[in-house]
Amino acid sequence: MGTFIGHVYPGLFLILYGLYQAIVVSKAVIFKDSLLDPSCHPTNKGRWARLWKISYRGLLKMVTGSILIAYEISCIKGGLVLMNRQLPPRFLYPKEWQHLTMFILLTLNGCVDVMSRNLLPQRCVLLEKGSLVLTFYVLLLLLVSHVQDTTGIELQIHYLLILVVFLLMLVLTIELWTPDTFQLLLIEAFLFLMMGSWLMQAGFILYRPVTGYPWQDDDISDIMFVTTFFCWHVMINALCLLGIYGLSALWHRCHCPSLKLMGSKEAPYHKGTVGPLYKLLQEVEQSEKDEQALLLSKSSS
């Protein structure tokens, strides 16, 4: 991962994952559907319904993690050896082993998603969330250890990345108790976008600067502009989320003219509660009138 491609590929995966999460959340909010188990489209019936229920997020994690594992191993000439043969033996390639641990966790998390959604008799959302939270707890520990021998520009980049991972870990931990909350899932999608875009930006800053000249660790202006670029990523990703929701709403309005009708069918409890409540009020009023008439007849007699 200590290369340009090693930063860009994981960043691209995280961006795609965040975009997918944002689209799923926007669709669920527009259709007033469940955020955890959205119902399939009415046209998806029969054999296509099984394809709709496949855990694409899990498959994406498994494929991306496997590719990154193979890439990390292939980058080391002579193989990724744990220790040398000298006396006393010394550990080799500490950062590469940390990268490999991250990618293995990503692959295992994808396996858990696929197992929960497609292999278990009933989907276990708590298992999926718990596995993702555990992955980010370990990722945070690895990143904190990862910056032990870094300084200057690289240290500032990793500090900002650790901040995003820490916030994402907090959000995912809260989701263990409230997994179907729109605000938390939206923040989760935003933080995944932030993590992915910042990883890609880190690849350009550290390995392929746009100017062709490397950034200077002893220049305070370069270090300050790293934070400025991070703030620009915050604004751009927030506008991206807003654009995804707007485009999703526009697309559903144009291609689904019966959107309001579907929304009313998905929430029938509104109609179901108004009728009986109105009848109950009528019965109460009628009984009150009967009691008043009975009292008047008694008083007159």
Side-chain angles (χ1 to χ4, degrees):
M1 192 173 174
T3 60
F4 174 74
I5 296 178
H7 283 77
V8 170
Y9 281 0
L12 184 61
F13 158 73
L14 290 169
I15 288 177
L16 293 176
Y17 185 86
L19 290 174
Y20 176 79
Q21 180 79 4
I23 293 172
V24 169
V25 174
S26 299
K27 174 183 173 294
V29 172
I30 291 171
F31 281 103
K32 298 179 181 179
D33 205 351
S34 173
L35 291 169
L36 294 178
D37 192 15
S39 58
C40 60
H41 199 270
T43 57
N44 295 332
K45 295 180 179 180
R47 66 182 65 179
W48 301 107
R50 293 186 177 181
L51 292 177
W52 185 264
K53 294 180 180 179
I54 293 176
S55 178
Y56 294 106
R57 279 181 287 194
L59 290 177
L60 181 61
K61 292 176 184 178
M62 292 171 61
V63 172
T64 305
S66 302
I67 293 174
L68 291 175
I69 289 172
Y71 173 77
E72 189 68 32
I73 295 175
S74 65
C75 287
I76 305 299
K77 295 181 180 180
L80 194 59
V81 182
L82 183 62
M83 286 184 176
N84 58 17
R85 297 182 179 180
Q86 299 176 358
L87 293 176
R90 307 290 297 179
F91 287 106
L92 299 176
Y93 310 113
K95 289 194 173 183
E96 285 74 11
W97 278 105
Q98 288 185 340
H99 298 158
L100 190 65
T101 304
M102 298 176 190
F103 302 148
I104 291 175
L105 283 171
L106 175 63
T107 306
L108 292 177
N109 182 246
C111 294
V112 171
D113 288 349
V114 173
M115 180 183 68
S116 172
R117 193 173 180 89
N118 301 116
L119 299 179
L120 294 181
Q122 185 176 2
R123 182 185 178 188
C124 183
V125 178
L126 184 61
L127 177 63
E128 299 175 22
K129 294 290 183 181
S131 172
L132 189 59
V133 170
L134 181 61
T135 300
F136 272 88
Y137 272 91
V138 177
L139 177 60
L140 183 63
L141 291 175
L142 292 174
L143 285 176
V144 171
S145 173
H146 203 67
V147 298
Q148 295 297 324
D149 60 343
T150 57
T151 57
I153 298 295
E154 186 176 357
L155 182 62
Q156 184 71 7
I157 290 173
H158 280 88
Y159 274 161
L160 295 172
L161 180 62
I162 288 173
L163 174 63
V164 177
V165 173
F166 176 73
L167 293 176
L168 189 52
M169 184 192 69
L170 288 180
V171 171
L172 293 173
T173 303
I174 299 172
E175 285 183 8
L176 289 175
W177 287 271
T178 57
D180 202 5
T181 304
F182 162 70
Q183 292 86 350
L184 289 177
L185 291 174
L186 190 63
I187 296 174
E188 178 189 339
F190 170 75
L191 291 175
F192 270 115
L193 288 175
M194 275 297 305
M195 190 176 172
S197 64
W198 189 243
L199 264 179
M200 296 185 69
Q201 181 71 66
F204 281 98
I205 292 176
L206 296 176
Y207 303 101
R208 291 189 183 178
V210 179
T211 60
Y213 297 93
W215 291 53
Q216 301 299 319
D217 291 335
D218 56 352
D219 190 349
I220 191 63
S221 298
D222 287 358
I223 296 178
M224 291 176 66
F225 262 98
V226 169
T227 307
T228 303
F229 287 163
F230 182 82
C231 296
W232 290 354
H233 278 261
V234 172
M235 295 184 292
I236 292 172
N237 286 312
L239 291 175
C240 180
L241 279 182
L242 185 62
I244 288 174
Y245 181 80
L247 290 176
S248 299
L250 181 63
W251 187 88
H252 287 302
R253 285 175 182 269
C254 294
H255 293 79
C256 301
S258 59
L259 179 62
K260 295 182 179 179
L261 180 61
M262 290 176 62
S264 62
K265 288 182 178 180
E266 290 176 357
Y269 54 85
H270 291 292
K271 291 183 179 180
T273 55
V274 172
L277 180 60
Y278 180 72
K279 293 180 179 179
L280 181 61
L281 289 175
Q282 282 186 330
E283 293 176 358
V284 171
E285 291 178 355
Q286 185 64 35
S287 63
E288 289 179 352
K289 290 180 181 180
D290 294 340
E291 290 178 358
Q292 290 177 359
L294 182 59
L295 289 175
L296 289 175
S297 60
K298 288 183 178 181
S299 61
S300 61
S301 61

